[in-house]
Amino acid sequence: MNILLLANHFNAGGISSYIINLSRGLAVRGNKVYVGSSGGEWLIRLSDSNIEHIWLPLRTKSILSPKLIFAYFLLRRIIKEKQINIIHANTHVTGELARFASL
């Protein structure tokens, strides 16, 4: 199964820690896991676990941000190219983006 985990950024914090643990556990069970975010200082932890990071312009707290229009089209392409089966969003912004992109 191809799984995409989304977060606004990947800096030190609870969501990033949760995503690392979740992605490692899913990968051990035979899934191909991708993490989409606007990057951050903890990306090295993903590469240490062979989890592919996909850059998306998600560094915003508003679902009305113009960045999300660009992110929407990138995400649609990623879903198709990587044959994503499941999208797991960790914030309100990424949840709304995932909802629209998966329609």
Side-chain angles (χ1 to χ4, degrees):
M1 192 173 307
N2 297 326
I3 301 169
L4 175 63
L5 307 174
L6 294 176
N8 292 36
H9 60 79
F10 216 70
N11 293 317
I15 290 175
S16 298
S17 179
Y18 167 74
I19 289 174
I20 289 169
N21 290 332
L22 180 60
S23 61
R24 287 177 181 165
L26 290 168
V28 165
R29 288 167 179 78
N31 300 292
K32 178 62 179 164
V33 181
Y34 303 92
V35 173
S37 77
S38 60
E41 54 201 45
W42 277 18
L43 288 181
I44 190 73
R45 296 178 185 212
L46 288 177
S47 62
D48 288 347
S49 300
N50 294 321
I51 306 296
E52 184 178 338
H53 178 263
I54 299 169
W55 182 85
L56 292 167
L58 298 175
R59 193 175 295 266
T60 182
K61 292 184 179 186
S62 171
I63 60 171
L64 301 176
S65 172
K67 291 179 183 181
L68 296 183
I69 295 169
F70 182 60
Y72 167 82
F73 289 107
L74 284 174
L75 187 56
R76 292 285 300 164
R77 189 187 70 194
I78 290 163
I79 290 169
K80 194 173 274 189
E81 284 177 5
K82 307 284 187 187
Q83 299 177 345
I84 300 296
N85 303 106
I86 295 174
I87 302 172
H88 177 80
N90 288 283
T91 65
H92 178 67
V93 170
T94 58
E96 290 300 312
L97 178 63
R99 183 169 69 94
F100 285 112
S102 65
L103 293 176

